[in-house]
Amino acid sequence: MSAKFLQEGVRITMTPGRDSGKFLLARARDLSSWLSSIRRHLHAHPEPAFQEVETSRFIASILDELGISYRDNVAQTGIIAEVGNPEAKDVVCLRADMDALHIQERTGLDFSSQRPGFMHACGHDGHVAMLLGCARLLKETGVFKGRVRLLFQPAEEGQGGAKEMIEAGCLEGCRYIFGGHIDTHFPVGKIAVQEGLICAFADGLKIAVLGRGGHAARPHEAADAITAACNLVVGLQSAINKRINPQYPALVSIGEIKAGTAPNAIADKAILKGTMRTTSPEIRQALFQVVESCAKATELAFGVKVDISYPDHYPPVINSPEATKIARQAALELVGDDGVIPYPIPSLGGEDFSFYLEKVPGCFVRFGARKDGNDAPAHSSGFDFDEEVLPLGAAFLANCALRALK
Ligand code: NI
């Protein structure tokens, strides 16, 4: 493959082989401040699942500037853009998620969230910047075979925006799909590439503990939903330890409890919301059973009724062998042997990229992005990452697409 780059009016000829990655990365690094400005704008204006209206408009405005055609209002607030030869049959998809979380930011960054109660605390602002950077690199790349389809996907955090993107036809003609996630467990310059299962089964969990209200001083006349709920949460953690083979991961995290209206009244209801993570179908079924038996035990012990539902499910992310090979080569060209690291122990994170992988082969990687002096985890109010990862991610995605279309 031979491709040309337009760099501020200067044409650069890219030679095939290992050099192509180096050229992409060099050009992406030239775009560093542009990439950071995109990320920072998005960071300051976070929007949650299926409400990414301004985000979508902002992405569209950049695609307009780049002269890249796109379809908006896909899957409500998503965008599908295409670069390359519109007649070509071969399509490779690249995906970035767009949504923010319901978290109040406390980073103290000068581009902190301007929307109280919302924050890009998972790096999706960075993912969008990377994919726009990749779009620009591909647009500047004179010649390549096929088409690269850029998926700006809403609602990754829990509502499965990927499913709606698929229903909207985003995978039509797609041979491979690639994507990645910022990961602050590793420094910039590391890209974790691993074949097979890399993310967990993720099942939403909602538990309603239904008791009977009463006077705080006479609990025997009531059925205390709060005490029952607290016991259920703690009991679950112990039961999982003893009922599930500890050689396999199985976790339940309750992230939300709502109960009670007055300090001197017994609550008649407690609503618990959480998530369950496993990495095998058998353990997943076993975990459902543990949750249900703990619920029954709580009913008996506290005289309450416990209703359980599983509001959403993400399948595990399973990287295909051939796409993983392409991704590994693409990464090797950018970060060398030392930079490409394995990811042998699956993350228990959920990731709706899995829905795409149920339909087409692909590979999802993790981009090292640890920021010195910041150990706040993802999904916390202090989360931040090293923006040096942005050009690397942009070049990686572009390189995956070019290699896959070879
Ligand atoms: Ni995320």
Side-chain angles (χ1 to χ4, degrees), residues 324-368:
T324 305
K325 215 168 137 190
I326 294 168
R328 183 171 290 119
Q329 273 308 318
L332 275 171
E333 287 183 8
L334 303 177
V335 294
D337 290 332
D338 293 344
V340 181
I341 55 172
Y343 198 73
I345 299 171
S347 157
L348 292 188
E351 170 55 68
D352 77 351
F353 195 80
S354 53
F355 289 108
Y356 302 115
L357 295 180
E358 286 187 330
K359 307 276 181 200
V360 295
C363 184
F364 192 74
V365 304
R366 307 190 78 87
F367 302 112

Coordinates of all heavy atoms in Angstrom, one line a residue, residues 324-368:
T324 N -7.8 -9.8 16.1 CA -6.8 -9.6 17.1 C -5.4 -9.5 16.5 O -4.5 -8.7 16.9 CB -6.8 -10.7 18.2 OG1 -8.2 -10.7 18.7 CG2 -5.9 -10.4 19.3
K325 N -5.2 -10.4 15.5 CA -3.9 -10.4 14.8 C -3.6 -9.0 14.1 O -2.6 -8.4 14.2 CB -3.9 -11.5 13.7 CG -2.6 -12.2 13.5 CD -2.8 -13.4 12.7 CE -1.7 -13.5 11.7 NZ -1.9 -14.6 10.7
I326 N -4.7 -8.5 13.4 CA -4.6 -7.2 12.8 C -4.3 -6.1 13.8 O -3.4 -5.3 13.6 CB -5.9 -6.9 12.0 CG1 -6.1 -7.9 10.8 CG2 -5.9 -5.5 11.5 CD1 -7.5 -7.9 10.2
A327 N -5.1 -6.1 14.9 CA -4.9 -5.1 15.9 C -3.5 -5.2 16.5 O -2.9 -4.2 16.8 CB -6.0 -5.3 17.0
R328 N -3.0 -6.4 16.8 CA -1.7 -6.5 17.4 C -0.6 -6.0 16.4 O 0.3 -5.2 16.9 CB -1.4 -8.0 17.7 CG 0.0 -8.2 18.4 CD 0.2 -9.6 18.9 NE -0.7 -9.9 20.0 CZ -1.6 -10.9 20.1 NH1 -1.7 -11.7 19.0 NH2 -2.3 -11.0 21.1
Q329 N -0.7 -6.3 15.1 CA 0.2 -5.7 14.1 C 0.2 -4.2 14.1 O 1.2 -3.5 14.1 CB -0.1 -6.3 12.7 CG 0.6 -7.6 12.4 CD 2.1 -7.6 12.7 OE1 2.8 -6.6 12.4 NE2 2.7 -8.6 13.3
A330 N -1.1 -3.7 14.1 CA -1.3 -2.2 14.1 C -0.6 -1.6 15.3 O 0.0 -0.5 15.2 CB -2.8 -1.9 14.0
A331 N -0.8 -2.2 16.5 CA -0.2 -1.7 17.7 C 1.3 -1.8 17.7 O 2.0 -0.9 18.1 CB -0.8 -2.4 18.9
L332 N 1.8 -2.9 17.2 CA 3.3 -3.1 17.2 C 4.0 -2.1 16.4 O 5.0 -1.6 16.8 CB 3.6 -4.5 16.5 CG 3.6 -5.7 17.5 CD1 3.7 -7.0 16.6 CD2 4.7 -5.6 18.5
E333 N 3.4 -1.6 15.3 CA 4.0 -0.6 14.4 C 4.0 0.7 15.2 O 4.9 1.6 14.8 CB 3.1 -0.4 13.2 CG 3.3 -1.5 12.2 CD 2.5 -1.3 10.9 OE1 1.9 -0.2 10.7 OE2 2.4 -2.2 10.1
L334 N 3.1 0.9 16.1 CA 3.1 2.2 16.8 C 3.9 2.2 18.1 O 4.6 3.2 18.4 CB 1.7 2.6 17.2 CG 0.7 2.6 16.0 CD1 -0.7 2.9 16.6 CD2 1.1 3.7 15.1
V335 N 3.9 1.1 18.9 CA 4.5 1.1 20.2 C 5.6 0.1 20.4 O 6.2 0.0 21.4 CB 3.4 1.0 21.3 CG1 2.5 2.2 21.3 CG2 2.6 -0.2 21.2
G336 N 5.8 -0.7 19.3 CA 6.9 -1.7 19.4 C 6.6 -2.9 20.3 O 5.5 -2.9 21.0
D337 N 7.5 -3.8 20.4 CA 7.3 -5.1 21.2 C 7.0 -4.8 22.6 O 6.2 -5.5 23.3 CB 8.6 -5.9 21.1 CG 8.7 -6.5 19.7 OD1 7.7 -6.7 19.0 OD2 9.9 -6.8 19.3
D338 N 7.7 -3.8 23.2 CA 7.5 -3.5 24.6 C 6.2 -2.9 24.9 O 5.6 -3.0 26.0 CB 8.6 -2.6 25.2 CG 10.0 -3.2 25.1 OD1 10.0 -4.5 25.0 OD2 11.0 -2.5 25.2
G339 N 5.6 -2.2 23.9 CA 4.4 -1.5 24.1 C 3.1 -2.4 24.1 O 2.1 -2.0 24.7
V340 N 3.2 -3.4 23.3 CA 2.0 -4.3 23.2 C 2.0 -5.3 24.3 O 2.9 -6.1 24.4 CB 2.0 -5.0 21.8 CG1 0.8 -5.9 21.7 CG2 2.1 -4.0 20.7
I341 N 1.0 -5.2 25.1 CA 1.0 -6.1 26.3 C -0.2 -7.0 26.3 O -1.2 -6.7 25.7 CB 1.0 -5.3 27.6 CG1 -0.1 -4.3 27.7 CG2 2.4 -4.6 27.8 CD1 -0.3 -3.6 29.0
P342 N -0.1 -8.2 26.9 CA -1.2 -9.1 26.9 C -2.2 -8.7 28.0 O -2.0 -7.8 28.8 CB -0.6 -10.5 27.3 CG 0.6 -10.1 28.1 CD 1.1 -8.8 27.6
Y343 N -3.4 -9.3 27.9 CA -4.5 -8.9 28.9 C -5.1 -10.3 29.3 O -6.3 -10.5 29.0 CB -5.5 -8.0 28.2 CG -6.3 -7.2 29.1 CD1 -5.8 -6.2 29.9 CD2 -7.7 -7.6 29.3 CE1 -6.7 -5.5 30.7 CE2 -8.5 -6.8 30.1 CZ -8.0 -5.8 30.8 OH -8.8 -5.1 31.7
P344 N -4.3 -11.1 29.9 CA -4.7 -12.5 30.1 C -5.9 -12.7 31.1 O -6.6 -13.6 31.0 CB -3.5 -13.2 30.6 CG -2.7 -12.1 31.2 CD -3.0 -10.9 30.5
I345 N -6.0 -11.8 32.1 CA -7.1 -11.9 33.0 C -8.2 -10.9 32.6 O -8.0 -9.7 32.6 CB -6.6 -11.6 34.5 CG1 -5.5 -12.6 34.8 CG2 -7.7 -11.6 35.5 CD1 -4.8 -12.3 36.1
P346 N -9.4 -11.4 32.3 CA -10.4 -10.5 31.8 C -10.8 -9.4 32.8 O -10.8 -9.7 34.0 CB -11.6 -11.5 31.5 CG -11.1 -12.8 31.5 CD -9.8 -12.8 32.3
S347 N -11.1 -8.3 32.3 CA -11.7 -7.2 33.1 C -13.1 -7.7 33.5 O -13.8 -8.4 32.7 CB -11.8 -6.0 32.3 OG -12.8 -5.1 32.8
L348 N -13.6 -7.3 34.7 CA -15.0 -7.5 35.0 C -15.8 -6.3 34.6 O -17.0 -6.3 35.0 CB -15.1 -7.8 36.5 CG -14.5 -9.2 36.9 CD1 -14.8 -9.5 38.4 CD2 -14.9 -10.3 36.0
G349 N -15.3 -5.4 33.9 CA -16.0 -4.3 33.3 C -17.0 -4.9 32.3 O -16.8 -5.9 31.6
G350 N -18.1 -4.2 32.1 CA -19.1 -4.6 31.1 C -18.8 -3.6 29.9 O -18.3 -2.5 30.1
E351 N -19.1 -4.0 28.7 CA -18.8 -3.2 27.6 C -19.7 -3.6 26.4 O -19.7 -4.8 26.0 CB -17.3 -3.4 27.2 CG -16.8 -2.9 25.9 CD -17.1 -1.4 25.7 OE1 -16.5 -0.5 26.5 OE2 -17.9 -1.0 24.9
D352 N -20.5 -2.7 25.9 CA -21.5 -3.1 24.9 C -20.9 -3.3 23.5 O -21.7 -3.6 22.6 CB -22.8 -2.3 25.0 CG -22.6 -0.9 24.3 OD1 -21.5 -0.5 24.0 OD2 -23.6 -0.2 24.2
F353 N -19.6 -3.1 23.4 CA -18.9 -3.5 22.1 C -19.2 -4.9 21.8 O -19.2 -5.4 20.7 CB -17.4 -3.2 22.3 CG -16.7 -3.2 21.0 CD1 -16.6 -2.1 20.2 CD2 -15.9 -4.3 20.6 CE1 -15.9 -2.0 19.1 CE2 -15.2 -4.3 19.4 CZ -15.2 -3.1 18.7
S354 N -19.5 -5.7 22.9 CA -19.8 -7.1 22.7 C -21.0 -7.4 21.7 O -21.0 -8.4 21.1 CB -20.2 -7.7 24.1 OG -21.2 -7.0 24.7
F355 N -21.9 -6.5 21.7 CA -23.1 -6.7 20.7 C -22.6 -6.7 19.3 O -23.0 -7.5 18.5 CB -24.1 -5.6 20.9 CG -24.9 -5.8 22.2 CD1 -24.7 -4.9 23.3 CD2 -25.8 -6.8 22.4 CE1 -25.4 -5.1 24.5 CE2 -26.5 -7.0 23.6 CZ -26.3 -6.1 24.6
Y356 N -21.6 -5.8 19.0 CA -21.1 -5.8 17.6 C -20.3 -7.1 17.4 O -20.4 -7.7 16.3 CB -20.1 -4.7 17.4 CG -20.6 -3.3 17.7 CD1 -20.1 -2.5 18.7 CD2 -21.6 -2.7 16.9 CE1 -20.6 -1.2 19.0 CE2 -22.1 -1.4 17.1 CZ -21.6 -0.7 18.1 OH -22.0 0.6 18.4
L357 N -19.6 -7.6 18.4 CA -18.8 -8.8 18.2 C -19.6 -10.0 18.1 O -19.1 -11.1 17.7 CB -17.8 -8.9 19.4 CG -16.7 -7.8 19.4 CD1 -15.7 -8.0 20.6 CD2 -15.9 -7.7 18.1
E358 N -20.9 -10.0 18.5 CA -21.8 -11.1 18.3 C -22.1 -11.2 16.8 O -22.6 -12.3 16.3 CB -23.1 -10.9 19.1 CG -22.9 -11.2 20.6 CD -24.2 -11.2 21.3 OE1 -25.1 -10.5 21.0 OE2 -24.3 -11.9 22.3
K359 N -22.0 -10.1 16.1 CA -22.4 -10.1 14.6 C -21.2 -10.2 13.7 O -21.3 -10.8 12.6 CB -23.1 -8.7 14.3 CG -24.3 -8.4 15.2 CD -25.5 -9.2 14.8 CE -26.7 -8.8 15.7 NZ -27.8 -9.8 15.6
V360 N -20.1 -9.5 14.0 CA -18.9 -9.5 13.1 C -17.7 -9.7 13.9 O -17.6 -9.3 15.1 CB -18.8 -8.1 12.3 CG1 -20.0 -7.9 11.4 CG2 -18.7 -6.9 13.2
P361 N -16.6 -10.2 13.3 CA -15.3 -10.4 14.0 C -14.7 -9.0 14.3 O -14.9 -8.1 13.5 CB -14.5 -11.2 13.1 CG -15.0 -11.0 11.7 CD -16.5 -10.7 11.9
G362 N -14.0 -8.9 15.4 CA -13.4 -7.6 15.7 C -12.5 -7.7 16.9 O -12.3 -8.8 17.4
C363 N -12.0 -6.6 17.3 CA -11.0 -6.6 18.4 C -11.2 -5.3 19.2 O -11.2 -4.2 18.6 CB -9.6 -6.8 18.0 SG -8.4 -6.9 19.3
F364 N -11.2 -5.4 20.5 CA -11.3 -4.3 21.4 C -10.1 -4.3 22.3 O -9.7 -5.3 22.9 CB -12.6 -4.5 22.3 CG -13.0 -3.3 23.1 CD1 -13.6 -2.2 22.4 CD2 -12.8 -3.2 24.4 CE1 -14.0 -1.1 23.2 CE2 -13.2 -2.1 25.2 CZ -13.7 -1.0 24.5
V365 N -9.4 -3.2 22.3 CA -8.1 -3.1 23.1 C -8.2 -2.1 24.2 O -9.2 -1.5 24.4 CB -7.0 -2.7 22.1 CG1 -6.9 -3.6 20.9 CG2 -7.1 -1.2 21.7
R366 N -7.2 -2.1 25.0 CA -7.1 -1.1 26.1 C -5.9 -0.2 25.9 O -4.8 -0.7 25.7 CB -7.1 -1.8 27.4 CG -8.3 -2.8 27.6 CD -8.5 -3.3 28.9 NE -9.1 -2.3 29.8 CZ -10.4 -2.2 29.9 NH1 -11.2 -3.0 29.2 NH2 -11.0 -1.4 30.7
F367 N -6.1 1.1 26.0 CA -5.0 2.1 25.8 C -4.5 2.5 27.2 O -5.3 3.2 27.9 CB -5.5 3.3 25.0 CG -6.1 3.0 23.7 CD1 -7.5 3.2 23.5 CD2 -5.3 2.6 22.6 CE1 -8.0 3.0 22.2 CE2 -5.9 2.4 21.4 CZ -7.2 2.6 21.2
G368 N -3.3 2.2 27.5 CA -2.7 2.8 28.7 C -2.8 4.3 28.7 O -2.5 4.9 27.7

